Amino acid sequence: MDERVLGCLAVQVGGGFRPPKATLVITQYRVVLAQRTKALEEAHKAQYGGGGLFSRGPKPPELVDRYVAMPPDAALAETPGNSMLVWQQLQLVEVQERTVSNDEGPDDHYLAVSFAGPGISLQLTAYPPYPPVAVVRDALRQGFGALVRG
């Protein structure tokens, strides 16, 4: 099996006050949901430095970028709570750009990715900057085919 990473997307899982952060790792056979733990964030920060607002030098890579070269099985095993979905589990994958008006400031613009199947309802949200919707949709279609809508 020649599984390769087609793309990665930084997401938030569900809603609420402080939804958990994760990375959606898309391959041609499955998607891996890799949790963004505090330990991972601290290790990344220690490896590449603080990268604060006024820091000098090159900007460090984003945490999501680590999964592009990582084998999907390694991403799945990285944290005990990581999970995966394969197309046989799903009935629908939906990708949409949404805008919610905000009375107190600028409108909230985000990308929503939903996975649904028997006993599965997973809502993921990505905030700018994120890849164009067509890029995310096409990457998911390589694995999930006609299940992908939006």
Side-chain angles (χ1 to χ4, degrees):
M1 174 166 85
D2 183 28
E3 186 175 27
R4 64 189 186 285
V5 175
L6 303 172
C8 297
L9 181 65
V11 295
Q12 294 181 349
V13 182
F17 178 62
R18 293 189 78 161
K21 295 178 182 177
T23 299
L24 187 66
V25 181
I26 304 167
T27 79
Q28 72 271 38
Y29 302 115
R30 60 185 168 170
V31 293
V32 174
L33 192 62
Q35 297 180 31
R36 186 172 177 167
T37 64
K38 187 161 184 81
L40 279 174
E41 288 178 344
E42 288 174 357
H44 184 75
K45 191 174 185 180
Q47 181 178 1
Y48 293 103
L53 183 61
F54 300 107
S55 66
R56 297 180 191 259
K59 184 178 176 189
E62 296 292 328
L63 186 58
V64 69
D65 295 336
R66 67 185 273 121
Y67 297 100
V68 173
M70 183 184 288
D73 285 332
L76 184 61
E78 181 179 52
T79 304
N82 290 358
S83 59
M84 71 172 189
L85 295 169
V86 295
W87 69 270
Q88 293 94 334
Q89 295 176 279
L90 301 172
Q91 294 171 335
L92 175 69
V93 179
E94 189 172 46
V95 181
Q96 294 182 334
E97 276 189 289
R98 296 184 181 159
T99 302
V100 176
S101 59
N102 186 351
D103 295 338
E104 298 175 10
D107 292 348
D108 291 328
H109 188 72
Y110 61 95
L111 176 70
V113 182
S114 305
F115 296 90
I120 297 169
S121 179
L122 180 61
Q123 306 292 319
L124 306 174
T125 306
Y127 289 92
Y130 51 78
V133 174
V135 171
V136 176
R137 189 180 306 120
D138 290 347
L140 286 165
R141 280 191 178 140
Q142 289 186 48
F144 295 91
L147 295 176
V148 179
R149 308 256 164 54

